Amino acid sequence: MLLLLPLRLTAAGLDMDEYLFGHVGDSYEWHITTVNGKAVRLALPVIVHSRTSGWHCFSSKYLEDGASYEGFSIAAKGEPYEGKVVENVDGTAVKPLDISITKNVVGLLFNCILLLVIILSTSKWYRRHDATEEAPGGFVGLMEMMITMVEDDIIKESIGKDYKRYSPYLLTAFFFIFISNLMGIVPFFPGGANITGNIAVTLVLALCTFFAVNLFGNRHYWKDVLWPEVPTWLKVPLPLMPLIEIIGLFTKPFSLMVRLFANILAGHCMILGVLAVVFLTAEMGPALNGSLSVVAVCLGVFMDCLELLVAFLQAYVFTMLSSVFIGLSRQEPETRKE
């Protein structure tokens, strides 16, 4: 596992900034491994629109090691737009419109394809067999167990009689997050992309829940938001409680976004930080370095196993909270909780 991590050594030792952020951050290439001191990289398409020369599409290999191509380069550390493609316009670095296929985009597409393959292969079994007479086994049986668990124990319990309307979205969200979390801790290509540790991805997932809650909420939900059952002086002349309820509409998806992003990002950083001990102690002598390396590797393996649990829990929590928020927007007056 250690050999597959992209390492950058400086005169003072391991460059921790490059080591940590090189893994959890996005990039225009996918570092696969290092063989005999030479990096093996997958060059990805750079697609940018210049204000002066229009669209450009080329391989990111032309921008490796600070090189410039067609007037574009990747901003160095400490410069404006650090790590992003910039255009040199009259000696000034200008950021163009950038829709490049980056590492996270490739990882996102791969995870989506993997999810489709898993779901379609599972549904294929049910098209060819009568589930009332024959129970599925193996991987199909595992998928049935997980789908049944999510739908019956989370979605149905939280939403109620109208749960089937939201099951497709919530099941998709659960398995997408779960697969992305698992692929994020796989140390070799095409795993290792920090998908759910990217706040842009968790933002889109949270917005999907936000729209599912507020676009399809019934009139009783909106009554509770705009005219809650509290003393009148809390609603007029100063709409204190309605204002708090409206703010709550946005804080709920915000908490979903930050919780998933922060937990996955923190898990990646903790594992990388533990494994970095092997290289940070390299100049302290073979005895100390060897003993600390054994501890670091054992602790790293343990944390990797712990991340398997976290991968499931974060998908479970996101789906559960989304189901609860949707359920609150679908309650009828006689079923509302006091």
Side-chain angles (χ1 to χ4, degrees):
M1 177 177 178
L2 299 176
L3 298 177
L4 297 170
L5 294 173
L7 300 177
R8 297 289 179 87
L9 297 176
T10 64
L14 179 65
D15 186 344
M16 284 299 295
D17 285 346
E18 185 69 23
Y19 172 70
L20 286 175
F21 295 108
H23 173 79
V24 301
D26 203 0
S27 66
Y28 294 95
E29 63 183 17
W30 196 315
H31 185 286
I32 299 176
T33 187
T34 301
V35 179
N36 296 326
K38 184 177 180 181
V40 178
R41 305 167 178 169
L42 175 63
L44 301 173
V46 176
I47 307 171
V48 292
H49 183 269
S50 169
R51 300 176 184 176
T52 58
S53 55
W55 288 101
H56 295 258
C57 182
F58 52 88
S59 173
S60 62
K61 69 179 181 180
Y62 296 113
L63 303 180
E64 292 179 357
D65 302 322
S68 178
Y69 183 77
E70 295 183 359
F72 298 94
S73 61
I74 297 178
K77 186 176 181 180
E79 296 182 356
Y81 312 114
E82 176 182 337
K84 302 296 182 181
V85 171
V86 294
E87 182 183 12
N88 189 351
V89 179
D90 298 328
T92 304
V94 178
K95 191 175 185 305
L97 175 63
D98 190 351
I99 57 171
S100 302
I101 308 298
T102 61
K103 175 183 175 180
N104 281 349
V105 174
V106 174
L108 181 64
L109 293 174
F110 180 84
N111 293 347
C112 290
I113 293 172
L114 180 59
L115 177 59
L116 283 173
V117 170
I118 291 173
I119 297 302
L120 293 177
S121 62
T122 302
S123 66
K124 183 179 179 180
W125 186 93
Y126 287 93
R127 290 196 301 268
R128 296 184 175 183
H129 300 80
D130 186 354
T132 60
E133 298 181 357
E134 181 181 357
F139 181 76
V140 176
L142 175 64
M143 286 298 298
E144 178 181 307
M145 180 188 70
M146 293 188 67
I147 292 171
T148 302
M149 181 270 296
V150 173
E151 186 166 58
D152 291 347
D153 296 343
I154 303 178
I155 302 174
K156 187 176 180 179
E157 288 293 325
S158 300
I159 298 178
K161 63 179 182 180
D162 205 20
Y163 75 97
K164 290 184 178 180
R165 182 178 187 180
Y166 301 94
S167 286
Y169 160 63
L170 293 170
L171 285 168
T172 301
F174 174 84
F175 283 103
F176 171 76
I177 295 172
F178 186 42
I179 289 173
S180 296
N181 291 348
L182 290 179
M183 292 300 296
I185 58 178
V186 174
F188 49 83
F189 179 82
N194 187 33
I195 304 302
T196 43
N198 186 309
I199 199 166
V201 175
T202 60
L203 171 62
V204 172
L205 291 170
L207 284 176
C208 290
T209 296
F210 174 79
F211 290 130
V213 170
N214 295 288
L215 290 181
F216 305 109
N218 58 26
R219 60 188 182 91
H220 302 289
Y221 165 74
W222 284 108
K223 177 183 177 298
D224 285 343
V225 171
L226 301 176
W227 196 256
E229 295 181 359
V230 295
T232 305
W233 62 272
L234 290 174
K235 297 181 284 189
V236 291
L238 181 66
L240 181 61
M241 287 306 298
L243 181 61
I244 292 175
E245 292 290 341
I246 291 173
I247 293 174
L249 299 181
F250 299 95
T251 56
K252 290 174 183 176
F254 180 79
S255 68
L256 285 177
M257 173 187 72
V258 173
R259 179 183 289 105
L260 179 58
F261 157 74
N263 279 283
I264 299 303
L265 182 64
H268 284 214
C269 289
M270 287 178 63
I271 293 175
L272 291 169
V274 169
L275 296 178
V277 172
V278 177
F279 307 98
L280 294 175
T281 60
E283 298 180 356
M284 296 183 180
L288 185 59
N289 177 244
S291 58
L292 289 177
S293 295
V294 172
V295 173
V297 171
C298 292
L299 186 57
V301 172
F302 169 76
M303 293 182 66
D304 257 341
C305 296
L306 186 63
E307 280 295 297
L308 294 175
L309 176 62
V310 173
F312 174 80
L313 285 179
Q314 290 306 314
Y316 184 94
V317 169
F318 185 96
T319 308
M320 180 187 66
L321 291 177
S322 295
S323 300
V324 169
F325 296 155
I326 292 172
L328 291 173
S329 72
R330 302 298 303 172
Q331 291 188 65
E332 298 297 333
E334 63 273 11
T335 61
R336 284 181 294 175
K337 296 179 181 179
E338 298 295 334

